[in-house]
Amino acid sequence: MMNFVVKTLANAGALGVAIWLLQDITLTGESTGKKALTLILVALVFGLVNVLVKPVVQLLTLPLFILTLGLITLVVNALMLLLTSWLAEQFNLSFHVEGFWTAVLGGLIISVVSWALNVVLPDSD
């Protein structure tokens, strides 16, 4: 359970950094508390997308992964971020990613920041 909480907080932190750095990734809310709650909920959606959808997409793109020496991972991460944006809209969460190239850059930022946070934060159940 602790591992789940740590990974969700790492995702929320990484999403927060991407929102802060890129003007085309937006999170709106009336107050800081509502923004923080929305960010946690979006991190949960992002985590579910990465657990449920990403492995299937990676399996389907395995030949492209080999052909591009792993660069297709940037595209897969961007698609997962765009899917998270779409799902957030469906759940009435105020998170939006504008455009594919913003999603590519956002996916790169999120990957680097979440990796760094997972190194620093404890990893026990």
Side-chain angles (χ1 to χ4, degrees), residues 27 40 49 52-53 55 60 63 78 91 107-108 118 122-123 125:
L27 178 78
I40 296 292
V49 165
L52 299 174
V53 179
L60 294 174
F91 291 125
L108 183 62
N118 281 316
D123 190 27
D125 275 330

Side-chain angles (χ1 to χ4, degrees), residues 37-96:
L37 179 61
T38 302
L39 186 60
I40 296 292
L41 292 173
V42 169
L44 285 170
V45 170
F46 187 66
L48 285 173
V49 165
N50 280 329
V51 166
L52 299 174
V53 179
K54 190 174 183 178
V56 175
V57 173
Q58 284 178 328
L59 182 65
L60 294 174
T61 60
L62 186 61
L64 287 174
F65 183 82
I66 294 167
L67 185 67
T68 64
L69 302 174
L71 288 177
I72 193 71
T73 304
L74 292 172
V75 174
V76 170
N77 288 344
L79 293 175
M80 296 305 105
L81 190 57
L82 286 171
L83 179 60
T84 300
S85 175
W86 180 80
L87 286 171
E89 185 179 314
Q90 301 307 307
F91 291 125
N92 225 8
L93 299 171
S94 57
F95 173 76
H96 184 69

